[in-house]
Amino acid sequence: MPWETELDPSTRAVEQDVPTLLRAGVRVLTEAGVPSPDADAAALLAHAWEVDETDLSRRRLFADAVPAEVAAGFARLVAERARRIPLQHLTGVAHFRRLSLRVGPGVFVPRPETELLVTEVLDHLAHGDDGAPPLVVDLCSGSGAIALSVALEHPGVRVIGIEREAPALSWSQSNLVDLDLGTSTVDLLAGDATTVSVDHPELAGTVDVVVTNPPYVPDAAVPRDPEVRDHDPAAALYGGASGLELPALLIAQAVVLLRPGGLFVMEHAEDQGAGVREIVAGTPGLSGAATFPDYTGRDRYTVARRDSAASPMRNGE
């Protein structure tokens, strides 16, 4: 097999150029069924070489020679990726809007479609006009992708992220450490998103936006992709028998937390929009539910608003 003679790190390394190594890596990843072999091979070689992908593109154009130790590291990474270890676990980074987030075992790897939830939040905040610093609560905050993006992109906002799982919370807190948020603040708290209004009664009726990318996979619907099935934590995937049991509990929390006119934004599966709108319709105090597509045109998230004329709800109402 050409890969073994070109890249096997257990044999004497032979100096090769960038295009040759990338072609070999792409072959292995393609045979393993990796969905994006070209992009993944480039990302892995850039990581092994400790260069960015723009620099790698230049080196590829000029067919630069790759040092033997870099080629050996690349071979090891490609072998791991061929075993369907997530790319982000191998590089340690997930790119999300303007962020490069640290990720690894124990935290859900953020997906590009979730970026659209941030856009909805930012659009809402841009139209605020009461002069007070807005408050956003991110339920099931995971890696901190949503919370940190909102804080980074809307100066002066206060964001609270709620995450129950200790490994995920640790990843999000590490992502916060080195981030310059300017006048914004982020508090990443350990807690159960389904009881946040009980655990933090001071938040009731004060929140401008509640946003969440909750677990929504039905318990019996095991994901096909090994990267998801075997590596994303189960606590971040499964939302109950229909997938909407846990999201329904978060909707009940949102109506308590939101101030009149506040926005609710929830990600869900492409076939769950009608179910989420039905839950919202049966939740007094929330109205105007509408579902929107992701980059592929599939229904991906639903928004609703806290009734403007309503008084803030108390738990149990």
Side-chain angles (χ1 to χ4, degrees):
M1 178 178 177
W3 173 261
E4 293 172 347
T5 60
E6 292 169 357
L7 291 177
D8 187 346
S10 67
T11 62
R12 183 176 61 86
V14 177
E15 187 176 87
Q16 298 175 82
D17 60 40
V18 174
T20 300
L21 281 178
L22 286 177
R23 284 194 298 270
V26 168
R27 282 200 302 273
V28 171
L29 298 182
T30 299
E31 291 170 4
V34 172
S36 52
D38 295 271
D40 286 18
L44 292 173
L45 182 52
H47 180 67
W49 214 343
E50 297 182 351
V51 300
D52 63 36
E53 292 193 42
T54 300
D55 192 12
L56 181 67
S57 295
R58 182 193 62 78
R59 299 182 188 203
R60 182 177 191 172
L61 179 64
F62 291 102
D64 285 2
V66 181
E69 65 273 14
V70 172
F74 177 58
R76 287 189 290 270
L77 289 169
V78 169
E80 290 289 283
R81 185 69 186 100
R83 292 176 46 227
R84 307 303 291 270
I85 305 299
L87 174 68
Q88 297 85 353
H89 285 196
L90 297 173
T91 64
V93 174
H95 299 291
F96 186 88
R97 294 180 71 94
R98 302 180 188 176
L99 298 172
S100 294
L101 298 164
R102 298 183 183 97
V103 295
V107 69
F108 183 82
V109 175
R111 311 301 201 253
E113 55 267 27
T114 305
E115 295 179 354
L116 295 169
L117 278 68
V118 177
T119 300
E120 287 287 342
V121 174
L122 295 173
D123 286 349
H124 179 78
L125 296 180
H127 292 91
D129 57 4
D130 63 3
L135 174 58
V136 175
V137 172
D138 176 16
L139 301 178
C140 306
S141 55
S143 67
I146 294 174
L148 297 177
S149 289
V150 170
L152 184 66
E153 298 184 46
H154 188 91
V157 68
R158 179 189 176 202
V159 184
I160 298 174
I162 304 293
E163 175 56 54
R164 185 185 66 183
E165 301 300 316
L169 184 64
S170 179
W171 282 109
S172 67
Q173 289 172 337
S174 72
N175 285 319
L176 174 61
V177 168
D178 298 324
L179 194 59
D180 182 3
L181 297 177
T183 58
S184 296
T185 63
V186 174
D187 294 305
L188 299 170
L189 307 179
D192 189 335
T194 67
T195 60
V196 62
S197 66
V198 175
D199 300 333
H200 299 276
E202 73 280 3
L203 295 178
T206 70
V207 179
D208 294 274
V209 181
V210 172
V211 59
T212 182
N213 178 16
Y216 54 73
V217 177
D219 290 346
V222 178
R224 292 188 298 271
D225 293 340
E227 292 87 346
V228 178
R229 181 186 65 235
D230 300 333
H231 298 283
D232 277 330
L237 294 177
Y238 300 105
S242 73
L244 289 179
E245 283 77 7
L246 191 145
L249 296 176
L250 301 187
I251 291 172
Q253 289 297 301
V255 74
V256 178
L257 296 172
L258 286 169
R259 63 189 298 183
L263 183 72
F264 173 67
V265 187
M266 173 181 280
E267 183 173 324
H268 50 71
E270 61 187 85
D271 59 350
Q272 292 177 332
V276 172
R277 294 194 301 274
E278 182 178 353
I279 296 169
V280 170
T283 303
L286 283 180
S287 60
T291 300
F292 296 93
D294 60 19
Y295 297 118
T296 68
R298 298 180 177 92
D299 283 352
R300 184 56 58 193
Y301 66 96
T302 293
V303 304
R305 290 185 182 271
R306 184 74 168 89
D307 292 344
S308 296
S311 299
M313 294 184 68
R314 297 183 299 275
N315 287 291
E317 289 187 334

